Amino acid sequence: MRQACGVTMAGTETDADGRRADVLEVARDALRESKERYRALFEAIDDGFCIIEFFDGPHGPLSDYVHVEANPGYERHTGIPNIVGRTLRDIAPQEAEGWLELYGGVLRTGVPVRFERPFVAADRHIEVSASRVEPASRRQVSVLFRDITGRKRAEAALRESEEQFRVLAQTVPNQVWAARPDGRLTWFNAQLSAYAGLAPGEIEDIDGWGRIVHPDDWPAAAEAWSRACADGSVYEVEYRIRRTDGVFRWFLVRAEPVRDAAGPITGWVGTNTDIDESKRHAAELERQVAERTADRNALWQLSRDLMLRCTFEGVITAVNPAWKEMLGWREDELLGTRLFELVHPDDLAHTVAGARELSEGTSHARFDNRYRAKDGSYRWISWSTRPSDGLINAVGRDITAEREQAEALAKTEEALRQAQKMEAVGQLTGGLAHDFNNMLAGIVGSLELMQTRMLQGRMGDLERYIGAAQGAAKRAAALTHRLLAFSRRQTLDPRPTDVNRLIEGMVELVRRTVGPAVAVDVVGAGGLWPTLVDPSQLENALLNLCINARDAMPVGGRIVIETGNRWLDHRAAQERDLEPGQYVSLCVSDNGTGMAPDIVAKAFDPFFTTKPIGEGTGLGLSMIYGFAKQSGGQVRIYSEVGAGTMVCLYLPRHIGEAEEAEAVPDLSEAARAKVGETVLVVDDEPTVRMLVTEVLEDLGYAAIEAADGPSGLKVLQSDVRIDLLVTDVGLPGGMNGRQMAEAALASRPNLKVLFITGYAENAALNHGHLLPGMQVLVKPFALEALATRIRGLIEGEG
């Protein structure tokens, strides 16, 4: 507020009409007071103000008698320099014309008392208010210039904003509408009008929406709108709106309040977004999910397979009714328990490992195991599992009957194979009996002649008879080895072997065996890798292959013995039924008659032979095949009729150095026992016990004999000194030699063991994996070899 000459004046922010009335009233009052007071008031008015006095003179135009006075605010608002004390005669022509144009109506007629007229000056928008004051002596017009630029700009901006909103609302594909603070609609765009067939003002009342909203959706929609209007929250509802053709479609209706700077709601702006397609898709998806869920539930309930859901730690979270039917467990008995408690102990390790693999990211796993039924029995279950959402989902099929059938079939097949072997052995009984009888005749005859010559005192012929008996015994042992190799039941003594060196030591024997009509050439590869095989069995295989090659060349020919390093890739290994890797090959080829493909296909069959009756047993190639497979290798035949045959042994490479050939010393040169050294001999054959005991005693050892496993174990569990156990593998009394030795290790952990056997199941010797301090000697054996093995084991070389 401002004080001037005792009169209170309002600021520029007061109401326009009130301000003008106050100013004019003050101006009229001022004109009746003294000139000084009038001047102070005149100067104090904030808005531009001027007084125009005019006279109706008798001479000249009316403008000559006009006098204008303006206060300082006049120039600020109009941009026209202050004209205080001037007449129109003193003003520039253009300016005077403007005054006459502006106030001409007043000046000419003198009739109007008041008018308002906005005009623009100095980039400002000015509102002019004029009032006529007419004292007795003269006429006056008071003019107030008020700056309304801010208001005009705000009005223009509002008009522009409203136009932009209108254009935007008409352009967007959504239906747009606006409402008052109380919820009454004030406007909607053309999209809503066209969709619902509405005219402006047709649904101003909120209840008017009820004519286009689906009846089932209206109560909830109206209640939500009333609640939003009451608390000013965002309005968001889904409901169906009727189209002009009567079809209802789903819309997402959303509105937000519009607030002024102070916070109160000044209106609402809302949109309707068509979501009918998404609702239909969602409904269809729900239907499909419901159908799949129903199908899954039906499958869960009706399936005869076990269905399971459990954690990775094995805690059961869900099972289907099949558990009750198959294993006797109710759902309430299983939920929350650990699945692993039902697994057979022998299957627990790989079951837990499978669960761990699933927890670590494996996408699925399949395995078989046994589960305990409620009656205590076990059933075989084949599981298919897959992890999901931190759980294991599994389906299990009962394969108990299949497993039992497979086991029964395997036993039947094994029995059939054994029967076939027995039948084949029976067919060859005559030939084998003839061979053995010849060998036994040579042994028995030689022993009788030795006895006769000793009684006669004729000692000179003994060496000849001893040699004959030994030769017959060795031939019998070789035939036995061939039979065991065919059945793959011989006990191998694999050693790192240099095949080139082995062939070098055998080649003269081969040449003598095949005769002078057949040339024997050896092509040994340089840098040949060692291989881990039983050298004596490999020698036997090589000799058999050379004999077969000789028989394929009845008029003579050429045999080539060739070695090589072979690195078999996946394809080459697959062709030879081997694992990819490094192998040593030993091939024997001839330029004989060759074999047809059908003969090659049956060449490894036991007892198959193309030789005349009485000239072959058919065990040679079977023995070689069994030896190669048992050594981790393979044997293959490459043959062409009329062009010859090549038979190749593939033996796995040994990483390491080959052993030097072991010379067998004469028994008289064998190392003697140290004082007190004692050997326990366990064998159910008295003759073998006697021979081994006599050799031990000749070498200075103390020997203790036992005829079976329990008797031998009793000695081993006593306090008697035992430096070495020599035992047969197959023993009577319910305990074989391996079991006896293992039982003795509990009280004698450093016990040295030499197994002697003529035939032993590979499993009885733990599939050839012997502990340190254990060795195997195959019967029949040279006594020199027995003495060497005994000394070596006792000295810690085993």
Side-chain angles (χ1 to χ4, degrees):
M1 303 296 289
R2 301 178 61 180
Q3 293 286 342
C5 304
V7 179
T8 300
M9 293 296 296
T12 58
E13 291 81 5
T14 56
D15 180 74
D17 294 338
R19 177 59 184 259
R20 285 193 296 272
D22 291 342
V23 170
L24 294 176
E25 183 64 29
V26 170
R28 283 191 289 270
D29 293 343
L31 293 176
R32 288 191 287 271
E33 296 187 10
S34 64
K35 189 173 183 177
E36 292 77 10
R37 185 172 183 181
Y38 164 77
R39 179 59 56 192
L41 176 62
F42 186 76
E43 295 291 338
I45 297 175
D46 288 334
D47 292 333
F49 190 77
C50 70
I51 300 294
I52 303 173
E53 298 179 4
F54 58 93
F55 308 94
D56 293 328
H59 307 288
L62 181 63
S63 60
D64 290 343
Y65 302 93
V66 174
H67 176 74
V68 180
E69 291 187 20
N71 74 339
Y74 172 80
E75 184 176 358
R76 184 170 66 251
H77 287 284
T78 65
I80 300 174
N82 199 324
I83 56 174
V84 176
R86 292 191 290 170
T87 65
L88 291 182
R89 185 185 300 114
D90 302 320
I91 303 175
Q94 300 92 333
E95 194 176 332
E97 290 176 4
W99 275 102
L100 289 175
E101 181 182 353
L102 180 60
Y103 301 113
V106 177
L107 297 177
R108 287 192 182 98
T109 65
V111 175
V113 177
R114 176 187 178 90
F115 73 92
E116 297 180 4
R117 182 176 180 181
F119 72 99
V120 177
D123 295 326
R124 310 294 293 175
H125 203 98
I126 308 300
E127 181 181 67
V128 180
S129 299
S131 296
R132 182 173 177 178
V133 181
E134 198 168 2
S137 59
R138 56 186 174 181
R139 288 178 293 169
Q140 292 180 334
V141 175
S142 62
V143 183
L144 177 65
F145 295 84
R146 185 167 177 267
D147 190 344
I148 60 172
T149 303
R151 187 188 74 191
K152 287 296 183 180
R153 288 177 179 173
E155 290 174 354
L158 178 60
R159 284 194 301 274
E160 182 180 0
S161 176
E162 289 176 346
E163 179 63 13
Q164 289 178 347
F165 171 76
R166 186 191 67 79
V167 172
L168 178 63
Q170 297 292 1
T171 304
V172 297
N174 299 61
Q175 300 171 4
V176 183
W177 48 273
R180 298 189 185 95
D182 62 359
R184 292 180 177 275
L185 267 68
T186 59
W187 179 87
F188 49 83
N189 67 350
Q191 280 78 357
L192 178 56
S193 177
Y195 177 85
L198 300 174
E202 189 171 348
I203 54 170
E204 288 184 358
D205 192 331
I206 186 63
D207 291 337
W209 280 107
R211 298 197 301 274
I212 63 172
V213 177
H214 196 287
D216 295 345
D217 304 335
W218 170 245
E223 181 185 353
W225 179 237
S226 299
R227 186 168 56 252
C229 290
D231 58 20
S233 59
V234 175
Y235 175 68
E236 187 169 327
V237 182
E238 294 180 3
Y239 54 73
R240 288 162 287 181
I241 300 177
R242 176 178 50 78
R243 204 164 56 189
T244 54
D245 59 3
V247 175
F248 284 91
R249 292 182 66 84
W250 279 98
F251 284 82
L252 170 63
V253 182
R254 194 177 191 279
E256 291 200 12
V258 180
R259 302 177 185 272
D260 61 16
I265 295 176
T266 60
W268 293 82
V269 174
T271 59
N272 302 344
T273 304
D274 192 330
I275 58 170
D276 196 74
E277 289 300 323
S278 61
K279 289 285 284 189
R280 293 180 189 277
H281 287 324
E284 176 63 19
L285 183 60
E286 271 186 38
R287 185 190 63 78
Q288 293 177 1
V289 169
E291 288 182 357
R292 286 197 294 267
T293 301
D295 292 343
R296 185 201 65 188
N297 290 340
L299 180 64
W300 181 273
Q301 294 294 327
L302 299 176
S303 175
R304 302 192 64 173
D305 290 338
L306 298 181
M307 292 187 176
L308 163 73
R309 191 174 293 116
C310 69
T311 67
F312 293 120
E313 292 74 29
V315 178
I316 299 174
T317 61
V319 294
N320 70 333
W323 285 78
K324 178 70 170 63
E325 299 176 11
M326 188 183 299
L327 299 175
W329 298 108
R330 298 192 313 272
E331 181 180 12
D332 61 302
E333 294 175 317
L334 294 174
L335 295 183
T337 63
R338 295 193 77 239
L339 181 71
F340 302 142
E341 295 175 357
L342 300 177
V343 178
H344 192 284
D346 294 346
D347 304 332
L348 184 59
H350 77 265
T351 303
V352 173
R356 183 170 58 252
E357 290 175 3
L358 291 172
S359 69
E360 293 172 351
T362 302
S363 60
H364 62 278
R366 298 177 182 273
F367 52 85
D368 300 345
N369 54 17
R370 286 162 288 183
Y371 275 76
R372 177 168 48 85
K374 195 170 184 179
D375 61 6
S377 63
Y378 282 91
R379 301 195 69 79
W380 277 100
I381 309 296
S382 179
W383 291 101
S384 177
T385 63
R386 186 179 299 275
S388 176
D389 299 328
L391 295 172
I392 298 175
N393 298 293
V395 178
R397 183 169 58 88
D398 187 351
I399 59 169
T400 305
E402 297 174 16
R403 296 282 296 216
E404 292 174 349
Q405 291 173 359
E407 290 175 4
L409 179 61
K411 291 178 180 178
T412 302
E413 290 175 346
E414 178 61 25
L416 177 60
R417 282 193 295 269
Q418 192 62 29
Q420 290 172 338
K421 288 182 180 180
M422 294 308 297
E423 180 181 359
V425 170
Q427 293 173 354
L428 292 171
T429 299
L432 293 174
H434 176 266
D435 288 343
F436 271 107
N437 285 336
N438 284 339
M439 298 168 192
L440 290 174
I443 296 170
V444 172
S446 296
L447 291 174
E448 289 178 350
L449 288 173
M450 288 170 58
Q451 183 180 25
T452 301
R453 294 295 183 263
M454 290 173 67
L455 293 174
Q456 295 173 346
R458 299 167 56 184
M459 302 300 180
D461 296 331
L462 292 182
E463 185 175 352
R464 182 160 57 92
Y465 299 142
I466 292 172
Q470 287 178 334
K474 288 179 180 179
R475 288 194 300 275
L479 180 59
T480 303
H481 279 181
R482 284 197 293 273
L483 285 170
L484 291 175
F486 150 62
S487 65
R488 284 198 248 167
R489 291 185 175 183
Q490 81 273 31
T491 301
L492 299 182
D493 185 16
R495 296 175 178 273
T497 301
D498 183 339
V499 178
N500 281 344
R501 188 189 304 152
L502 181 143
I503 295 171
E504 184 180 348
M506 284 279 297
V507 67
E508 288 304 319
L509 174 62
V510 170
R511 287 192 174 106
R512 288 197 305 270
T513 302
V514 299
V518 177
V520 178
D521 294 333
V522 177
V523 182
L528 189 68
W529 297 325
T531 182
L532 190 66
V533 294
D534 185 324
S536 63
Q537 293 296 329
L538 184 58
E539 290 174 348
N540 194 24
L542 176 60
L543 186 58
N544 270 278
L545 290 177
C546 291
I547 291 173
N548 286 345
R550 179 203 63 186
D551 294 343
M553 300 180 291
V555 295
R558 183 168 178 262
I559 294 175
V560 178
I561 304 172
E562 185 176 2
T563 61
N565 295 328
R566 298 286 182 266
W567 195 314
L568 302 182
D569 59 17
H570 181 77
R571 182 185 61 81
Q574 192 174 36
E575 291 174 355
R576 294 165 175 79
D577 192 23
L578 289 168
E579 293 293 325
Q582 296 175 322
Y583 294 85
V584 173
S585 66
L586 169 60
C587 299
V588 175
S589 58
D590 64 65
N591 58 354
T593 56
M595 292 184 286
D598 60 325
I599 300 298
V600 172
K602 296 184 288 184
F604 295 123
D605 291 351
F607 310 117
F608 175 79
T609 180
T610 58
K611 297 176 182 179
I613 296 176
E615 293 187 14
T617 61
L619 294 176
L621 286 177
S622 295
M623 178 273 292
I624 295 171
Y625 177 79
F627 158 70
K629 291 290 288 183
Q630 195 171 356
S631 300
Q634 186 57 276
V635 58
R636 282 292 179 264
I637 298 176
Y638 309 94
S639 185
E640 184 177 344
V641 175
T645 299
M646 180 171 69
V647 182
C648 285
L649 280 167
Y650 297 93
L651 301 170
R653 176 187 180 182
H654 172 72
I655 305 299
E657 297 296 327
E659 290 185 355
E660 296 293 332
E662 182 180 337
V664 179
D666 186 82
L667 185 58
S668 60
E669 300 174 357
R672 309 290 297 178
K674 296 179 182 179
V675 177
E677 288 181 334
T678 305
V679 177
L680 172 63
V681 180
V682 183
D683 199 304
D684 59 326
E685 177 58 47
T687 304
V688 174
R689 289 203 311 272
M690 177 199 67
L691 290 173
V692 174
T693 299
E694 288 193 6
V695 169
L696 290 170
E697 290 176 348
D698 286 345
L699 295 175
Y701 293 96
I704 302 175
E705 296 183 38
D708 53 38
S711 301
L713 183 60
K714 188 174 181 180
V715 175
L716 290 167
Q717 291 176 340
S718 68
D719 295 333
V720 176
R721 174 178 175 175
I722 302 293
D723 295 281
L724 175 68
L725 168 64
V726 177
T727 178
D728 194 357
V729 176
L731 293 173
M735 177 180 290
N736 63 35
R738 176 65 186 239
Q739 292 168 337
M740 177 186 62
E742 289 180 345
L745 290 175
S747 56
R748 296 176 184 266
N750 298 319
L751 179 67
K752 305 295 180 62
V753 182
L754 176 63
F755 294 105
I756 54 173
T757 179
Y759 146 64
E761 294 266 4
N762 197 26
L765 291 176
N766 197 19
H767 303 281
H769 301 294
L770 298 178
L771 297 175
M774 294 185 178
Q775 287 190 15
V776 178
L777 187 62
V778 180
K779 300 175 185 177
F781 47 80
L783 297 181
E784 296 90 342
L786 174 64
T788 301
R789 289 290 185 92
I790 289 173
R791 190 68 250 161
L793 277 168
I794 292 178
E795 294 291 343
E797 299 174 4

